[in-house]
Amino acid sequence: MAKGKVGKTVGSLGDYLKEQRLSSRLSLRQLADQAGVSNPYLSQIERGLRKPSAEVLQQIAKALRISAEQLYIRAGILNPEDGLAGSVELAILGDTVLSERQKQSLLDVYASFLALNAAEAPSEAAEVPAQEDSNNVTNEG
């Protein structure tokens, strides 16, 4: 199932990139040259056959003069519902010292911490109102 989801995300990314390229009146070859990627590779991204790295997305965004963050969201690297979490992910992705592998490792660790906290949150949330209620009774009495 996860594989199908990735394909769908990449497909929507490809469709979005193609729309942006056409609205910028760039040919596939022109965009590939400006982004520093091969023409066949860019074609595969647009058709949803390849999932580009964050670095490649950043190069494409720069060539199209659009937000790299928007491409990260379309590619499934960032989740717009994460709020401030996105700023951490953007900082990791924007770091020029780290390799792509190091960036991905940090993103994976960060995502695992977020998932762990989200899994623990419902049980903690259930405990908090009970404590607040007992505090209110104590304060009133």
Side-chain angles (χ1 to χ4, degrees):
M1 270 199 240
K3 194 172 188 179
K5 185 177 180 186
V6 169
K8 186 176 181 184
T9 302
V10 174
S12 65
L13 169 68
D15 294 339
Y16 180 74
L17 283 175
K18 187 173 183 176
E19 286 174 18
Q20 294 300 312
R21 177 177 60 79
L22 294 174
S23 69
S24 296
R25 296 185 177 152
L26 292 172
S27 70
L28 194 64
R29 189 175 311 274
Q30 288 170 321
L31 179 57
D33 287 343
Q34 289 180 19
V37 297
S38 73
N39 190 29
Y41 181 62
L42 183 58
S43 174
Q44 290 174 346
I45 294 170
E46 282 192 359
R47 291 181 289 142
L49 301 175
R50 292 281 184 122
K51 184 175 182 181
S53 68
E55 186 176 325
V56 169
L57 287 173
Q58 193 169 26
Q59 291 170 247
I60 293 171
K62 188 175 181 181
L64 288 171
R65 296 187 173 114
I66 59 174
S67 162
E69 182 179 10
Q70 184 67 350
L71 292 185
Y72 296 152
I73 291 169
R74 296 272 178 169
I77 296 172
L78 289 180
N79 183 351
E81 297 170 5
D82 286 346
L84 293 177
S87 63
V88 172
E89 292 160 320
L90 286 174
I92 292 169
L93 292 168
D95 193 311
T96 57
V97 178
L98 299 174
S99 71
E100 282 300 309
R101 185 173 181 190
Q102 291 168 330
K103 289 177 187 180
Q104 191 57 55
S105 295
L106 281 173
L107 289 172
D108 291 344
V109 169
Y110 184 65
S112 70
F113 285 149
L114 291 178
L116 180 64
N117 290 346
E120 292 176 354
S123 63
E124 290 175 8
E127 294 172 12
V128 171
Q131 291 173 348
E132 289 176 358
D133 291 342
S134 64
N135 289 341
N136 288 340
V137 171
T138 305
N139 290 340
E140 291 173 6

